[in-house]
Amino acid sequence: MRPKTAYQILALPTGATREQIENNFRKMAMKYHPDLHPDDPHAARNFKEVAEAYEVLSNRITRREYDEIIQPKGKKFPRINYWRVYRKKRRRK
C-alpha cells in the first residue's frame, strides 16, 4: 500500500484552495477528534495525522516545499514515506 499524502489524508485535490483545505480539515477534525469519540481507539492517531496534514498544507511556504517532495517537476510520484522525508528536510533547516 502506498503511503498517503497530506492531500489524500484531507481528501483534497492537489490544487486545492485555502478555503477547501480549511473546510476539509474542520470536517475531518470533527470526524476524528478524540474528545468527541472516546470509544474509538484510533481517533487520536487519526486526528494527529489530520492535524499534521493541515499544518503542512495551510502554510503556503511549507505547502510549496511539500509539493516539491511528493512530485518533483516532470517526475511521477516516488514510492517513499512522504512524512518522513518532509520532516527530515524541515529538521535540516
Side-chain angles (χ1 to χ4, degrees), residues 42-56:
H42 303 292
R45 183 192 63 203
N46 292 338
F47 181 75
K48 183 178 178 183
E49 191 175 60
V50 167
E52 287 178 353
Y54 176 71
E55 184 180 332
V56 170

Side-chain angles (χ1 to χ4, degrees), residues 25-40:
F25 168 69
R26 288 185 182 125
K27 288 177 190 174
M28 298 295 230
M30 293 297 287
K31 182 177 179 180
Y32 294 120
H33 199 284
D35 291 344
L36 299 175
H37 306 285
D39 55 332
D40 184 3

Side-chain angles (χ1 to χ4, degrees), residues 1-5 69-72 75-82 84-85:
M1 186 170 95
R2 279 179 103 170
K4 290 184 178 181
T5 66
I69 290 171
I70 65 168
Q71 188 171 10
K75 296 183 180 177
K76 293 185 177 183
F77 281 101
R79 292 188 176 269
I80 57 174
N81 187 326
Y82 304 110
R84 186 177 302 146
V85 171

